[in-house]
Amino acid sequence: MWREHNLAAAYDAVIVGAGVHGLATAHYLAANHGFTNIAVIDKGYIGGGGSGRNTAIIRANYLTPEGVRFYDRSVKLYESLAADLNFNVMFSQRGHLTLAHNDASLRTMRWRAEVNKLEGVDSEVIGPDEIKRLVPFMDVSADTRYPILGALYHPPGGIIRHDAVVWGYARAADARGVQIHQNTELVGIETDGDKVVAALTGRGRIATPMIVNCTAGWGTLVAAMAGVRLPIVTHPLQAAVTEPVKPFLGAVVVSGTLHVYVSQTDRGELVFGASTDQYTSYSMRGSLEFTEELAGHVLELMPSIAKLRVLRQWAGLCDMTPDFSPVMGVTPVEGFYLDVGWGTYGFKAGPVAGEAMAELLATGKTPEIIAAFDLARFADGRLVGEKGAAAVGH
Amino acid sequence: MILVPCPHCGPRNVAEFRHVGEAAARPDPASATPEQWRGYLYLRRNPAGPTTETWYHRAGCRAYFAAERHTVTNEFRRTWLPGEVAALAGGATEMGAGVDASGGQGSGGKST
């Protein structure tokens, strides 16, 4: 799939983090711009961070025009990814439902639907009858504690095999000459004045004029090595999966009020996610409180799955920003680039983030599609508020 | 389960608390530069290791207090009420709840 290499003394660019963002950036640098003297380094293994811990949901039904355009480009890239990489990523566009349990969230759903339609993204608000038709096991009766009043229905949304995406990008980048170095931890960044000159790793020094921070969880720590401070705090996000059962859940279901999202994989397991743990932490331990709360909320939506057993639970790290949008682009340090702050929405953005970061590195110009997500927006007061569409009960 | 040693109530389940955030002294509104305000509003150290922060015992005594916690192990090394800061050795001046060493008000602090 990909080769091992000795660490060279110099590369044209060093990408930190071998997850979907880092590998996609490397792939598009090679495929779209002909840059191949690139190292992707990771302190662990390929796809071992957020890329292997997310719940693999892909969608573009965001709230701000900037967000909708950005994630829609990612959905488009995902749609052709299996063919582009010659690797089956099992993208299943089975439809995505965001439930509204009160008037305020119904208004937000309507708002999102109209912004989506203006940007050419297929989204519409539907009522309980239509929800029942799409997900027959859902309790849409009016006498529940949080009755379902409607939903934002987003047909292009779905799920994907997240490991396959990472492996596909790694294989394609490797085939074009990109070097992937696993078990290679970044320990420092050498600068000359305000200019990057080298990446210091556990395996030695790499001279390079460009370093891209494509990490999740450790975004602030890597940026601090270059002297760049970020508006980011790290929260754990837990998820769980049940034993496999026959296919019965045809859509991805999200409820912000009940703090839960659920989908059924091709293997038949139900995959659950929830809101992030409330305190900041770098710990990836699961908690019983999470499973208890999750189970209670899922059963309010689908009482019939009460006897389904949870097989395992895990956690990943989310770099949360104040506006629930990422931080991408240039920094005050020349040659140090950011692709961080991916909160709970990083995996679905992998292809478009890689494509845009590759263009930025190759041309030196910030692509229009990520211009709104720059670090300077916090100083200038230009926040891109995505909380209404990116968060599950924070 | 993570146990948080509340200065009033003793060790209690973390679910009873609200994590307010990293402790940072609020700049003086009269003399702060825009850069200082931005830093106070948005920038965080977010360390992987010991950190000083403010917690709120929302389902208990409802006091704000300061805590020193390790963000990798979630071990609480000590917690203290705003008024107790002067009594602590080592000068934990970077706390948000209550009064910092220079006498300014902290970030999320309510007097208890």
Side-chain angles (χ1 to χ4, degrees), chain A residues 220 234 280-282 289 379, chain B residues 2 13 19 38 42 46 69 71:
Chain A
T220 45
T234 301
T280 63
S281 182
Y282 287 85
E289 284 90 350
Chain B
I2 297 171
N13 190 333
H19 175 253
R38 287 166 200 152
Y42 295 124
N46 196 32
R69 177 178 63 109
T71 62

Side-chain angles (χ1 to χ4, degrees), chain A residues 215-228:
Chain A
T215 61
W218 294 269
T220 45
L221 305 181
V222 170
M225 292 176 190
V228 174

Side-chain angles (χ1 to χ4, degrees), chain A residues 203-225:
Chain A
R203 291 169 62 196
R205 180 182 185 274
I206 307 170
T208 182
M210 290 193 277
I211 295 175
V212 194
N213 181 358
C214 288
T215 61
W218 294 269
T220 45
L221 305 181
V222 170
M225 292 176 190

Side-chain angles (χ1 to χ4, degrees), chain A residues 67-144:
Chain A
V68 174
R69 283 195 285 271
F70 179 74
Y71 293 101
D72 183 45
R73 175 64 187 158
S74 217
V75 170
K76 296 285 192 305
L77 288 167
Y78 268 128
E79 283 172 348
S80 61
L81 198 60
D84 292 346
L85 301 178
N86 188 26
F87 200 89
N88 186 2
V89 294
M90 296 169 72
F91 187 22
S92 166
Q93 293 181 284
R94 54 184 60 190
H96 183 283
L97 289 168
T98 314
L99 304 176
H101 301 264
N102 52 51
D103 288 346
S105 37
L106 206 54
R107 271 197 299 277
T108 307
M109 298 312 157
R110 169 55 64 197
W111 179 4
R112 284 168 66 179
E114 297 308 319
V115 174
N116 284 198
K117 283 186 266 184
L118 278 173
E119 298 295 336
V121 170
D122 188 2
S123 292
E124 187 50 276
V125 175
I126 60 173
D129 292 348
E130 182 78 354
I131 298 170
K132 189 75 179 172
R133 194 183 64 74
L134 290 163
V135 188
F137 285 78
M138 188 109 72
D139 184 0
V140 297
S141 53
D143 58 355
T144 55

